[in-house]
Structure formats: structure tokens, C-alpha cells
Amino acid sequence: MDDFEKTYDELKIKIKNLSEYIWQNRIIWTDVEVWLNNFETNDEKIQMLFLLSQFMYFGDKELRELLKAIYRDKYKYKIISDIRIRNDSTLDFNTITGEFDKELARTKFLGVGNPSESGTHLLYFFRQENKLAKSLFINTHEITARESKDSTDKKIILRNPEIKHYIFIDDLCGSGNQVLDYSRDIVEEIKRLKPDAVVSYYALFAMSSGIQKAKRFSKFDHVEAIYEFDSSFSCFSSKSRHFKKPPSPVTLEKAKEVALKYGNRLWPGFPLGYNNCQLLVGFQHNTPDNTLPIIWFDEDQSERWTPIFKRYNKNYN
Amino acid sequence: MDNSTRNPFTIVKANDFTDQEILDYWVDIPGDSGFHHLVDPLTPMPMIIMGGKGSGKTHLMRYFSYPLQKVKHPENILKGIEKDKFIGIYLKCGGLNSGRFTEKNIDEEIWKNFFPYYFDIWMAQLILDTVIEALSYNDNSIDEEKICTEILDCFDDTLSESPKTLLELSSTIKQIQKQLDMAVNNCIFTRSLDGVQILATPGKLFYGIPRVLSKNIKEFNDILFVYLIDELENLHEYQQVYIQSLMRDIKLPCSIKIGVRTYGMKTYKTMADNEENREGSEFSILRLDKKLREKNRATNYKQFAVDLGLSRLRESGKISDKITSQSEFFDYFEEEKTINELDNIPEISSGISGKTIAKLKSALNKHEQSNIKNGVSKPSQTTEIINLLSFEGMPLLEKAATYSFYKEWSKSKKLLESAISINTICNNFIADKDSQPQFKELISKFKSDLLAQLRKDNAKKDSYAGIETLIKISKGFPRSFLTLLKHIYQYSAFNGETPFHSKKISIKSQIEGVKQSSLWYFEDTRIAGKDGAQIKSSIEKLAELYRINRYSDKPSECSLTTFSGDLTKASKETQRIIGLASDWSMLLVDPDGRKDKNSSRVDSKFILNPMLSPHWGLPISVRGVINFNEKTLNAIFDPAHESDYKSIKSEFENSRNAPFNKSLDVPTDFIQGAFKL
């Protein structure tokens, strides 16, 4: 058995196991074969099969756990820590619970992006998993209001000045640009109207570079992510975790060449994913555009491309 | 996952089943009385149910236990027990956590006296709880106080409490066990078991309680109390000595059945002056996997295996209750077409442009110099040989022809003359197969290896498909068979098929499932520490040699997965590792051994478990046997001699591939006839 055949068989076993145990049986081998037919030669196919075997998928269960972690680790524990500091390091359960409930009542959770996008879509699960009241969730337009009902009145006030915590939840912080947009359009306005309001941005996942940018340049009080993708997650970077020991005949250089060749056809501006993120990541609800387009591209029908983890793209028109 | 995609073969271990599932998935072996006859729960003679990993011991023992009797007789368990004429008290030794009763700075003699008492207390609770549960269905009154008094008499001292009911008695004994547990748990600090008092002579409770119950409870008057002690391998040697002692002194109305892995019986000694129990005298042995392999009507493993598969499919709703026959089950699996000697084989090249001839041509050219002595000195002679041995459209025949040619080459015969002679034989064979009986026999014996070579040369997968093949691979181990079906099902579904539905399971899915099962079998053998690593390394070396033989120019033995050897000459470590590999069913032992050609000595004989064969592309059917001398045995199995392996492997390769260097110390031969296990 030559290297090609051996590696092909091993990758098939790995992909079968991934499909069964991680990908929630979303993919069967015939899907893989159809996807591989996008590529011309056997060598291209084996390089891409290897990339697929490295794909990181976060299913419903994992996402729900991460949403719990955002609430518990990023929000609740911070508040409890403040309560204890304010109360002489108390361990009294009733004191802590009582004060926490008060803080929670002065909190609003919001999604990032358009209501049809994934950031806001996740709020439903966030509320379910953390057993939170519906009243704790608002849309961004519900943060402020005109002072009077007169439409000529341009004075904007906070709709509920009692609110102390505004928590923005997002699925992925890629470049960090959207966080800066939110900072400029919403956070600055909140801070202007209520300087002591605590406005936080929490993402399930983030590119390290994006989250650093957001931390540095945004007006959010807290900018954090549960799962950070550093440069080792960029699949063709010199630190790539995916190519530590690729099986023969797979190499980083060859795989990159193939990904670029087809990526350039599919999305000429970003052949290796938006902002050149080079991710190999997908979620149960969507595949981010920071992932290689050869994985998810399903847009331009003239390209006749069959994706393996389809992206439900944002249509801004 | 909905019912239509649920894999009916997911659970392959009886430990993972509920009582109801044990019953639902129960399949008997064909024959007059099936497993009931083999286990014979009504015999007072103790029995050891011995078998390798996955031979079905636990399923069998649980099937005869009280919880299953209850499921089998839902209307009235007491009547059911009376009808069965026995009550099964099941204990899994793993639950005792036997490692607690060793060392901790406590003298070995103390543990030797402590453990029997602890074991008896444990069993006393088990039997009392079982009986209390069963009696809850009883309408007749029983004199529990009298029973308690008589059971208390089994103790050598008066207990601090005087229980009047069985429930109170069970509670009292539980309390005793708790105290013993406390003493054991804390002896690491106290370095003694001084506070412990042994309140009953070993065996008195074990035999006494059933005797009292039998005497005082009408429904139990004529029944046997069958202790089903499973996973004995989890007990230390001195602890097994106590179990052996109980077997030796068996007293009615009790009987004992021991479940143990083949390797797990550490001793047959008893506490009676270390006297050993003997098979046939103090106990009988049911060698489960061996029994399932026996070729007779009473234990038709093939039928049994198919019934196992059908039972799972029926329970999962995948097939109708009406489907019961073997042939219907067979139909689910796509079969390879039988290949005859003169057939063309799709996708297998032959003739001048084929791989077989290309390889031969390359060998002749490569060893041009050495061929001069074999009479080949001109390129035209090489071309002539090639032409004589090419048989376009008959790849198997061509392979057999080149194999014959390599054989002649290895004997330093004149190559051109040999090729002419082989060409004549082949042409005669084409005209009339029976005119060339030797050549016909050669193809028959080596067909599996030659086809494997053709597949390998043409980048095709080894073929392990068809239900008969799966049954052969599982070799009497039901769990292996279910594991094969489990992985085949997974691959079939992953490949977009609808297994056990409208279409057959493809050969491709079967091969992939078999390979995965084989890998699982190899990886799943969780032998701890250095021994585990050494066994795996040895098996890999052994398989490598078998593989070299199978895919060589001139395999010396056909379908080789068996070796024999005089183990007494091998190092102690070699003997130990071979023993362990056998214990873990990686090697299967042929109890008859093999007679040495040059002496009356009978050598030990071992076959690689066929579950492992697909992992290395080895055959399933077992035919050839290779005799290893002590040097080879040690190089394979003893890490101290590992450095010899490289040269042995090299000699092994050179002796089987052109130009066939001679410097062998590995005598080989071929044994005809079926392998007996």
C-alpha cells in the first residue's frame, strides 16, 4: 500500500469518527466524495481531505456549554467578586444571592449584529441555558429613546437609566472591526448618557488579533472571548497546529497551493478566508467566512462549487 | 439519532446490558439443550466457565442469575425458581475491589485469614438480599425468626444484635461488613487489623445459609443454590485459593460456577495443605470459545453467530420477526464472486503490460549478473522467459506460473528451461485442469495468497467480505462477531447505504468495517505496563514476518498465520510473553501442538487470532505452519534478543524474494489439512 492509499484510508477513518462523534452525523462519505470532486487531481484531493480531517466543528452541545461559560465565568463571577469585595469578603450565601439578583435586574443582554444573524440567534440558547428571564433581553434600538414623543425632539436619553450592565454577546470576533463599530455607534452613546454604565462584549470565539484590537481601541469596559484562536489556528501559518506532522504525501505548501488555487476562484479578495484568517472552524448554526472558502462557498452559481460545511451567508442587500 | 439510523450492534459487552436486554439479546446455540445443557445449572459439581475476551461468559452467567430468573418468570418468581430447580446468586469479583486486601504493612497471613471471612460476609448479604426480594412475592408465612436463629448458629460467636427477621439479619450483616470495610480502609494508618474479630469459620456462612433456607422455606426445599462467581481473574492468587477451597468442599444444596478469562486462573491450590483441585475430580471446565469453535451439530457456531445478528436486528425493529433463516441474513451481505484459475479479474492487469510480469521482468533485469549461473545471459532470453510466463486475461494463472518460476529460481534451476516447462504445464492446465494435478493443487493451496498479491500489486484492497468470512474471523468469539457487525454497520451508513434495508451491504463497507474491527481488537487489548507494550510489539513483529511471506515472490507457506516451536528451548521471557499473548487471545493455542519432523517431540503451536489478520492484510483461513527455532522465537518475543530481529527479518525476506539468498536458519515446511483448535 503506497503512502497515498494509506493516508487516504486513515483520513477516511478519522473523518468517519469525526462525523459520528463530533459532527453530529452531518456528513456522510458520499458528501465528502462530492466535495472532493471539486478538486482536479488525486494529489489535490488528498491535500484537501487532510484539511477536512482538521476541521473543528462546534455542535449544539458545545455551543450551549460555551454560552453557559460566558454567563458564569464572564458575567456572574465578576459580579459576585465585586459583591464580596464590597461586603468585606463575605461568604454569606443570602447576602451574595440577594445582591446578585439586584445586579441581574439592572442588566440587559444584547446580541451583536442584525437580528437575523448568528450573534442574536445565540441569545435564545443563552437565555435557555442560563435560565434567564425574557425581560433581561433587549434589542439595540431599545437602549435609548427620545426624551419626548415629539418627533422633532432630538434629545436622546437612556430608555431605562437604572440599567447598569449592558452585555453584548457574539459568536465570533474575527477582525474586531464590528466591535469597534458597536463601540462608536452604541457604547460611546451609552457612556455619554451614563458614564458609570458597564458595557461588556463577550464572544464565544475570537481571533487573537481581532480581540486585541477590540480591547485596545473600543470603549467597552470588558472585551473577552471564551475560546481564542491564536496564529496556530491559521492553517497555513508557520505556527499552524494543523501541520505539525502531516501524513505523507500531505504538506503545508502543497495544501496551501491548492487552497489558494481554488480560493482565488471562489472569493478572489479573500482566498483563504475573510481577512486572511485561514480558519478551519464551523459551528452548528453556520460556518464563519474566516474559514477557508473551499469549505463553505456556495454562492456564485457560475462556480459550480459544492461546499462540505455550507455557509449561510449574510445578504446585506 | 432516530431508530432508522441507530446501530443495533453498538453494545457488544454483556456488562453494559440491563437484565431485560440480557434476556432480549439471548441467543442459544443450536442443539437439543443449548447452553442450558452445557452449563447444567442443576449439577452440584463445580464448574469453571473459561474463555477469552468476548467469548460470552458474563452474558451466559447473568442469564442464569436471579435477576434474569425474575424477568423470565414475571408472574411468580418463587414458582419460577421451583420450576427452574435452582436460584442463581451472581457476583462480579471486580466489585470486591480485591486489591484492598493486600500489603498495607499487614502480614500476608493475616490477609489470607481475613479475606475468606470478608468474602463470606459479602456473599451472605448477597444471598439474603436475593431471598428477601424473592420472598416478597410469597403468600405463605414462613418462620423468619427460626431461620435467623439457625443462620446465627453458623457464626462461631454470639452477635451483639439478635435479628428476628431476614431484613434485620441482612442489616446486621451489612453492619459487620461496614466495620470490616472501616478496618481495611484505615489499616494503612493503624498498620493492623487488630480490632477485627473473625466471627465465622470460612465456608460456614457460604454453605450454611443456603442449607437453612432450603430446610425452612418450602419453595426452596428442592432447589440448588448456584453461586455464579464471575471475573475471577480480578482476584489475587491467595484469594483464588479460597474460592478453590470452597469448590473442593462443596456441600449441598450449593453449587459453584466460576467465570474466568483463559489467563485468569492463577491457581488450583486449596487451603487444604495446598492440595490442588483437579478437572473431572473437583470441577469440570466449560471452555466456552473452544466449545463454540467445535465442529459438531451440538454447537454450530455459524448458526449461533447468525442468530446473534438476527436477534439484534429483530430487537431494533430493523427486520420482521418472521426472518429467521441463515440465508436471509446472508443476503444482506454482498459477496465476492468466486475467482477461478482461468478467469479474467476486473481491474487486475495481466500479460506483458501487467504488474506481475513487470515485477518479474524487473527482478530478472536487476539480478542479471547472478542469473548467468542460472543460464540467462542475454536480454533475448529474459524476453523469452517473460513471454512464456505471460498469460493475458488470466491473472491468477499467470501469478501461479510466476510463483512456480520463482520456486525454480530459488532452487538455482536453469531459468529458461524452467519457464518453458511451466509454460507447457500452464497450457496443458488451460486445456484440461485435471491433467496437471500438482499445479492444480498448488493453485488451490496458494490461491488466497496469490489473489492477495494481485490485489496489492494493482492497488486494490484486501478482500474480507461475506458473512462466511466474518464468521471465520470471529473464531468462536461472539463479541468479535458483534464487533465486526457494529463497524460494518457504521461504515455502511457512513458510505450512504441503508444497511439491513433494501440493498446489500457493499463489499467496500464490509472491508472497511472489518479493518476497523481488527484495529480495535489490537488497540483495545489494554494490558497494563511494559507487558502490554511488549506483547503488542511482539505481535507486530510476528505479523510482519507473516506479511513478508504472504506478499513475497515465493511464499514458503500458504495462508500463514501459525507458528510452532519448542518453547522449552526459548528464553523464560519468551515463554512468558507468548503465554500472556495467548491469555489475551491475541494468539490462540492449538492444544494438540505439532509433531516435529525429526523427532517425536510435540511442539507448541499458536495461531494469530484471525481478528488481528485484516489489520496486516493477512489471511483468515489457516493452513500453513512455520516452525521457529529458539533464536527466532526470542528475537520476536524477548526484548533482550530484539537486536537479532533485524537480521532474521532480512533473512526471511531474502529467502523468499529473488534472487533468493541462502543463509537460512528458519526451517519451513507446509502442513496439509485443516488447523485444529
Side-chain angles (χ1 to χ4, degrees):
Chain A
M1 195 184 278
D2 60 17
D3 282 353
F4 177 89
E5 209 183 328
K6 187 169 170 274
T7 300
Y8 189 90
D9 286 352
E10 285 171 1
L11 291 175
K12 181 171 180 183
I13 292 172
K14 187 172 176 193
I15 287 167
K16 178 189 147 292
N17 290 335
L18 284 170
S19 178
E20 201 177 327
Y21 299 111
I22 313 281
W23 300 349
Q24 299 169 320
N25 289 304
R26 266 181 64 167
I27 305 291
I28 61 171
W29 187 246
T30 39
D31 300 324
V32 177
E33 285 178 324
V34 170
W35 177 70
L36 285 177
N37 282 339
N38 291 315
F39 306 97
E40 284 160 17
T41 66
N42 276 348
D43 189 53
E44 287 181 354
K45 288 178 204 283
I46 197 90
Q47 306 294 333
M48 294 302 101
L49 195 60
F50 174 73
L51 282 192
L52 181 60
S53 77
Q54 299 295 305
F55 188 73
M56 293 170 64
Y57 179 82
F58 294 86
D60 179 59
K61 220 162 136 187
E62 292 80 16
L63 289 172
R64 284 172 182 269
E65 284 304 316
L66 290 166
L67 288 167
K68 278 200 245 180
I70 282 194
Y71 178 71
R72 184 190 60 224
D73 302 345
K74 304 296 179 193
Y75 171 74
K76 190 176 178 181
Y77 288 174
K78 269 197 182 84
I79 304 263
I80 289 177
S81 168
D82 290 344
I83 292 169
R84 292 194 59 220
I85 291 168
R86 283 201 305 270
N87 291 279
D88 200 20
S89 302
T90 183
L91 287 170
D92 181 66
F93 179 76
N94 292 331
T95 306
I96 293 172
T97 313
E99 291 221 16
F100 176 77
D101 288 346
K102 280 184 208 159
E103 292 288 325
L104 184 61
R106 296 175 68 201
T107 300
K108 293 293 179 194
F109 297 98
L110 302 97
V112 172
N114 181 288
S116 67
E117 288 175 23
S118 44
T120 40
H121 159 87
L122 286 172
L123 285 188
Y124 176 67
F125 301 114
F126 181 79
R127 184 170 73 78
Q128 272 189 339
E129 286 305 318
N130 298 305
K131 299 181 179 67
L132 297 169
K134 205 172 134 190
S135 58
L136 295 173
F137 294 80
I138 56 168
N139 289 303
T140 45
H141 74 269
E142 293 172 296
I143 298 172
T144 54
R146 291 178 201 282
E147 192 171 35
S148 77
K149 286 185 180 170
D150 179 359
S151 62
T152 58
D153 181 9
K154 290 189 176 169
K155 192 173 180 200
I156 302 292
I157 56 164
L158 284 172
R159 193 169 285 206
N160 186 349
E162 290 301 307
I163 298 302
K164 183 177 167 192
H165 304 280
Y166 291 91
I167 313 291
F168 287 83
I169 311 279
D170 200 359
D171 61 345
L172 174 73
C173 168
S175 61
N177 290 340
Q178 195 177 24
V179 188
L180 296 184
D181 289 347
Y182 264 66
S183 172
R184 189 184 57 246
D185 298 343
I186 300 168
V187 183
E188 286 184 18
E189 185 74 351
I190 297 171
K191 292 280 186 184
R192 187 178 65 77
L193 297 168
K194 186 178 169 67
D196 64 340
V198 181
V199 191
S200 310
Y201 171 88
Y202 297 134
L204 296 179
F205 305 93
M207 294 298 296
S208 290
S209 53
I211 202 103
Q212 289 307 326
K213 187 171 159 188
K215 274 183 185 173
R216 198 164 160 206
F217 298 112
S218 81
K219 299 282 190 241
F220 281 100
D221 294 290
H222 305 290
V223 175
E224 289 175 38
I226 300 288
Y227 202 121
E228 224 172 280
F229 298 128
D230 62 16
S231 60
S232 71
F233 287 89
S234 294
C235 70
F236 304 121
S237 75
S238 56
K239 290 179 183 168
S240 172
R241 62 179 54 221
H242 303 296
F243 285 92
K244 287 258 187 254
K245 210 178 169 187
S248 176
V250 177
T251 66
L252 183 147
E253 293 73 21
K254 279 189 200 166
K256 186 177 180 181
E257 196 183 313
V258 181
L260 272 172
K261 174 182 165 186
Y262 292 90
N264 269 318
R265 262 171 43 190
L266 302 174
W267 200 10
F270 300 105
L272 300 180
Y274 182 69
N275 216 23
N276 195 31
C277 283
Q278 306 183 12
L279 288 186
L280 277 172
V281 172
F283 310 128
Q284 187 246 351
H285 56 281
N286 209 354
T287 308
D289 58 7
N290 315 77
T291 284
L292 302 181
I294 50 164
I295 299 284
W296 54 262
F297 189 86
D298 188 34
E299 289 168 15
D300 183 355
Q301 289 310 308
S302 65
E303 272 305 329
R304 303 173 73 82
W305 188 264
T306 311
I308 186 76
F309 283 96
K310 186 177 162 153
R311 171 173 170 77
Y312 299 94
N313 218 341
K314 298 170 184 180
N315 185 350
Y316 289 105
N317 297 327
Chain B
M1 196 176 277
D2 63 26
N3 193 43
S4 62
T5 52
R6 196 172 64 84
N7 187 340
F9 308 104
T10 303
I11 299 180
V12 295
K13 286 181 81 174
N15 275 333
D16 299 332
F17 280 140
T18 62
D19 295 329
Q20 185 64 48
E21 284 169 334
I22 289 280
L23 187 65
D24 292 344
Y25 293 129
W26 173 258
V27 170
D28 212 340
I29 44 171
D32 294 340
S33 309
F35 279 118
H36 200 282
H37 175 72
L38 291 178
V39 173
D40 194 3
L42 302 183
T43 180
M45 168 80 113
M47 174 184 277
I48 295 171
I49 300 171
M50 200 178 259
K53 179 176 84 164
S55 56
K57 300 178 298 296
T58 297
H59 204 131
L60 187 59
M61 294 183 77
R62 281 185 66 189
Y63 183 75
F64 289 101
S65 68
Y66 169 77
L68 263 290
Q69 288 180 289
K70 214 176 114 183
V71 180
K72 282 184 260 184
H73 306 293
E75 65 297 338
N76 189 328
I77 177 60
L78 281 175
K79 286 262 179 292
I81 290 170
E82 262 189 302
K83 192 176 156 206
D84 287 345
K85 294 188 167 46
F86 73 91
I87 182 168
I89 315 293
Y90 179 81
L91 166 78
K92 202 156 65 175
C93 289
L96 280 169
N97 198 0
S98 61
R100 291 190 298 156
F101 311 109
T102 53
E103 298 173 356
K104 295 179 184 167
N105 275 324
I106 303 290
D107 192 86
E108 205 183 319
E109 274 308 303
I110 295 177
W111 285 128
K112 279 183 183 172
N113 285 282
F114 179 86
F115 177 77
Y117 177 53
Y118 187 92
F119 184 82
D120 282 4
I121 289 289
W122 183 291
M123 291 307 287
Q125 281 178 79
L126 205 54
I127 193 165
L128 281 174
D129 290 347
T130 304
V131 167
I132 289 166
E133 217 273 339
L135 289 175
S136 66
Y137 298 87
N138 186 26
D139 296 330
N140 304 324
S141 64
I142 54 167
D143 190 347
E144 290 196 31
E145 192 172 345
K146 181 167 180 271
I147 295 173
C148 288
T149 308
E150 289 184 25
I151 289 176
L152 289 172
D153 273 351
C154 297
F155 287 90
D156 300 326
D157 198 0
T158 309
L159 301 189
S160 55
E161 292 175 45
S162 308
K164 303 271 189 286
T165 66
L166 289 174
L167 214 53
E168 285 173 13
L169 178 62
S170 170
S171 171
T172 302
I173 295 179
K174 264 190 191 72
Q175 204 50 45
I176 294 174
Q177 191 208 316
K178 272 188 180 176
Q179 287 163 4
L180 296 178
D181 281 332
M182 280 292 283
V184 172
N185 294 344
N186 289 294
C187 71
I188 188 76
F189 308 115
T190 59
R191 295 177 185 268
S192 85
L193 290 170
D194 284 353
V196 173
Q197 271 194 310
I198 291 180
L199 299 170
T201 305
K204 273 182 90 175
L205 292 170
F206 189 83
Y207 297 120
I209 295 175
R211 183 178 44 76
V212 173
L213 294 170
S214 175
K215 191 179 122 197
N216 292 289
I217 300 170
K218 186 179 134 295
E219 287 83 355
F220 294 165
N221 285 168
D222 297 316
I223 68 159
L224 202 61
F225 289 76
V226 184
Y227 288 110
L228 301 157
I229 301 171
D230 198 8
E231 298 183 356
L232 191 80
E233 64 274 10
N234 287 323
L235 295 193
H236 290 259
E237 187 175 335
Y238 87 86
Q239 295 164 346
Q240 289 193 6
V241 168
Y242 180 54
I243 308 297
Q244 290 289 343
S245 307
L246 290 171
M247 288 164 67
R248 191 178 187 86
D249 296 330
I250 194 76
K251 290 180 179 67
L252 283 173
C254 298
S255 173
I256 302 177
K257 310 253 180 240
I258 303 291
V260 62
R261 277 200 182 176
T262 313
Y263 71 92
M265 194 54 90
K266 293 165 186 146
T267 183
Y268 289 95
K269 282 183 184 162
T270 65
M271 290 159 82
D273 294 330
N274 277 341
E275 269 194 66
E276 286 204 353
N277 284 338
R278 296 198 184 281
E279 184 180 355
S281 175
E282 278 82 25
F283 61 87
S284 62
I285 295 187
L286 170 59
R287 292 181 174 85
L288 202 51
D289 45 339
K290 184 171 177 282
K291 200 81 191 167
L292 290 173
R293 285 196 290 268
E294 277 177 5
K295 289 178 181 169
N296 59 42
R297 285 178 61 196
T299 55
N300 188 335
Y301 176 65
K302 185 170 154 185
Q303 176 71 57
F304 172 69
V306 170
D307 286 348
L308 266 181
L310 284 169
S311 126
R312 292 294 181 98
L313 291 174
R314 267 197 297 273
E315 285 300 323
S316 65
K318 293 212 178 292
I319 58 164
S320 123
D321 287 351
K322 290 172 191 161
I323 295 178
T324 53
S325 78
Q326 280 196 18
S327 63
E328 281 166 298
F329 190 72
F330 279 36
D331 280 348
Y332 290 124
F333 298 85
E334 191 184 348
E335 298 268 352
E336 286 257 322
K337 281 187 186 143
T338 307
I339 297 165
N340 291 313
E341 302 89 336
L342 308 182
D343 287 348
N344 198 359
I345 311 172
E347 299 179 54
I348 301 285
S349 59
S350 58
I352 299 292
S353 58
K355 303 278 185 192
T356 303
I357 295 301
K359 208 172 156 194
L360 174 64
K361 195 175 170 184
S362 161
L364 286 166
N365 290 336
K366 194 173 164 191
H367 306 295
E368 207 174 325
Q369 287 304 312
S370 63
N371 292 338
I372 294 171
K373 68 177 187 302
N374 293 343
V376 178
S377 54
K378 299 176 199 160
S380 62
Q381 288 173 313
T382 300
T383 307
E384 204 179 343
I385 290 172
I386 295 300
N387 288 333
L388 285 164
L389 298 176
S390 298
F391 290 90
E392 182 79 42
M394 288 182 268
L396 180 56
L397 179 87
E398 185 178 79
K399 197 76 185 168
T402 54
Y403 168 71
S404 303
F405 177 77
Y406 284 125
K407 261 176 91 172
E408 297 301 296
W409 189 346
S410 73
K411 292 175 196 162
S412 303
K413 295 279 177 66
K414 297 291 177 200
L415 295 184
L416 185 54
E417 285 159 32
S418 298
I420 292 167
S421 164
I422 291 165
N423 177 271
T424 307
I425 291 170
C426 288
N427 282 323
N428 290 341
F429 183 79
I430 293 167
D432 175 11
K433 287 181 189 174
D434 293 329
S435 69
Q436 302 297 323
Q438 278 185 319
F439 190 67
K440 190 178 171 186
E441 195 191 351
L442 178 144
I443 296 186
S444 162
K445 283 176 186 164
F446 284 88
K447 189 173 173 182
S448 159
D449 298 315
L450 300 179
L451 284 172
Q453 289 195 10
L454 284 170
R455 287 194 200 96
K456 182 172 176 274
D457 294 346
N458 290 274
K460 299 283 150 219
K461 295 218 179 318
D462 312 312
S463 185
Y464 300 101
I467 194 71
E468 297 272 10
T469 302
L470 304 182
I471 289 168
K472 268 188 196 171
I473 295 173
S474 66
K475 201 87 182 169
F477 292 90
R479 192 190 298 164
S480 295
F481 184 68
L482 289 171
T483 300
L484 289 163
L485 293 183
K486 172 181 158 178
H487 287 120
I488 287 170
Y489 187 99
Q490 281 176 359
Y491 268 98
S492 181
F494 184 58
N495 286 330
E497 300 165 7
T498 48
F500 302 104
H501 195 58
S502 50
K503 284 186 180 169
K504 285 174 186 284
I505 296 172
S506 67
I507 288 174
K508 177 183 161 195
S509 297
Q510 291 181 61
I511 293 171
E512 288 174 335
V514 167
K515 288 247 179 190
Q516 184 72 10
S517 306
S518 186
L519 177 66
W520 167 83
Y521 196 88
F522 186 59
E523 299 293 340
D524 188 61
T525 305
R526 289 182 285 257
I527 312 163
K530 282 183 183 171
D531 282 350
Q534 183 53 38
I535 291 169
K536 283 193 175 176
S537 158
S538 300
I539 293 294
E540 276 176 332
K541 288 192 190 85
L542 184 65
E544 186 177 34
L545 295 181
Y546 290 156
R547 192 174 161 81
I548 288 169
N549 176 72
R550 183 167 168 87
Y551 295 96
S552 66
D553 292 338
K554 183 190 68 74
S556 307
E557 301 78 18
C558 64
S559 298
L560 178 67
T561 54
T562 308
F563 74 89
S564 66
D566 183 1
L567 288 195
T568 58
K569 288 185 181 163
S571 70
K572 290 278 176 230
E573 182 62 3
T574 292
Q575 293 175 27
R576 195 179 73 83
I577 294 295
I578 289 176
L580 280 174
S582 312
D583 292 342
W584 282 89
S585 301
M586 288 197 150
L587 296 174
L588 304 177
V589 188
D590 180 354
D592 297 335
R594 178 188 165 208
K595 220 170 199 177
D596 182 66
K597 277 191 303 183
N598 306 316
S599 67
S600 56
R601 191 186 73 224
V602 177
D603 287 343
S604 307
K605 194 161 80 173
F606 301 89
I607 175 177
L608 184 75
N609 189 325
M611 265 303 265
L612 294 169
S613 292
H615 184 50
W616 288 283
L618 296 172
I620 300 307
S621 296
V622 181
R623 299 188 76 166
V625 182
I626 189 164
N627 187 269
F628 287 143
N629 60 19
E630 63 269 28
K631 186 182 172 193
T632 307
L633 287 172
N634 291 339
I636 297 171
F637 294 100
D638 185 347
H641 297 268
E642 200 173 7
S643 54
D644 293 336
Y645 177 73
K646 205 175 163 190
S647 63
I648 284 171
K649 180 184 151 190
S650 176
E651 285 174 4
F652 207 81
E653 262 172 334
N654 293 339
S655 66
R656 285 164 174 76
N657 288 294
F660 307 100
N661 295 342
K662 314 262 186 220
S663 55
L664 284 179
D665 66 344
V666 186
T668 62
D669 69 358
F670 169 70
I671 291 203
Q672 290 187 34
F675 186 87
K676 283 183 284 177
L677 277 176

